[in-house]
PDB file of all heavy atoms in Angstrom:
ATOM      1  N   ARG A  89      75.716 119.453 109.008  1.00  0.00           N
ATOM      2  CA  ARG A  89      74.333 119.836 108.834  1.00  0.00           C
ATOM      3  C   ARG A  89      74.100 120.915 109.751  1.00  0.00           C
ATOM      4  O   ARG A  89      74.625 121.125 110.838  1.00  0.00           O
ATOM      5  CB  ARG A  89      73.479 118.600 109.255  1.00  0.00           C
ATOM      6  CG  ARG A  89      73.634 117.471 108.502  1.00  0.00           C
ATOM      7  CD  ARG A  89      72.767 117.583 107.176  1.00  0.00           C
ATOM      8  NE  ARG A  89      72.912 116.412 106.407  1.00  0.00           N
ATOM      9  CZ  ARG A  89      73.307 116.445 105.105  1.00  0.00           C
ATOM     10  NH1 ARG A  89      73.530 117.461 104.496  1.00  0.00           N
ATOM     11  NH2 ARG A  89      73.310 115.370 104.393  1.00  0.00           N
ATOM     12  N   GLY A  90      73.300 121.859 109.277  1.00  0.00           N
ATOM     13  CA  GLY A  90      72.908 123.055 110.025  1.00  0.00           C
ATOM     14  C   GLY A  90      73.898 124.192 109.745  1.00  0.00           C
ATOM     15  O   GLY A  90      74.744 124.187 108.886  1.00  0.00           O
ATOM     16  N   ALA A  91      73.647 125.327 110.429  1.00  0.00           N
ATOM     17  CA  ALA A  91      74.409 126.513 110.028  1.00  0.00           C
ATOM     18  C   ALA A  91      74.980 127.134 111.432  1.00  0.00           C
ATOM     19  O   ALA A  91      75.391 128.227 111.455  1.00  0.00           O
ATOM     20  CB  ALA A  91      73.524 127.591 109.439  1.00  0.00           C
ATOM     21  N   ALA A  92      74.873 126.351 112.515  1.00  0.00           N
ATOM     22  CA  ALA A  92      75.328 127.044 113.752  1.00  0.00           C
ATOM     23  C   ALA A  92      76.865 126.865 114.048  1.00  0.00           C
ATOM     24  O   ALA A  92      77.452 127.587 114.774  1.00  0.00           O
ATOM     25  CB  ALA A  92      74.624 126.299 114.978  1.00  0.00           C
ATOM     26  N   THR A  93      77.473 125.915 113.385  1.00  0.00           N
ATOM     27  CA  THR A  93      79.032 125.737 113.500  1.00  0.00           C
ATOM     28  C   THR A  93      79.754 126.826 112.752  1.00  0.00           C
ATOM     29  O   THR A  93      79.432 127.092 111.708  1.00  0.00           O
ATOM     30  CB  THR A  93      79.373 124.318 113.071  1.00  0.00           C
ATOM     31  OG1 THR A  93      78.549 123.395 113.645  1.00  0.00           O
ATOM     32  CG2 THR A  93      80.818 124.055 113.284  1.00  0.00           C
ATOM     33  N   CYS A  94      80.764 127.342 113.423  1.00  0.00           N
ATOM     34  CA  CYS A  94      81.623 128.447 112.824  1.00  0.00           C
ATOM     35  C   CYS A  94      82.271 127.906 111.525  1.00  0.00           C
ATOM     36  O   CYS A  94      82.774 126.863 111.483  1.00  0.00           O
ATOM     37  CB  CYS A  94      82.622 128.842 113.828  1.00  0.00           C
ATOM     38  SG  CYS A  94      83.720 130.022 113.185  1.00  0.00           S
ATOM     39  N   GLY A  95      82.072 128.682 110.468  1.00  0.00           N
ATOM     40  CA  GLY A  95      82.855 128.385 109.202  1.00  0.00           C
ATOM     41  C   GLY A  95      81.963 127.468 108.336  1.00  0.00           C
ATOM     42  O   GLY A  95      82.438 127.185 107.216  1.00  0.00           O
ATOM     43  N   VAL A  96      80.761 127.084 108.634  1.00  0.00           N
ATOM     44  CA  VAL A  96      79.903 126.258 107.694  1.00  0.00           C
ATOM     45  C   VAL A  96      79.329 127.074 106.631  1.00  0.00           C
ATOM     46  O   VAL A  96      78.896 128.215 106.821  1.00  0.00           O
ATOM     47  CB  VAL A  96      78.750 125.569 108.517  1.00  0.00           C
ATOM     48  CG1 VAL A  96      77.788 124.939 107.588  1.00  0.00           C
ATOM     49  CG2 VAL A  96      79.399 124.530 109.475  1.00  0.00           C
TER      50      VAL A  96
END
Side-chain angles (χ1 to χ4, degrees):
R89 295 283 179 232
T93 304
C94 180
V96 171

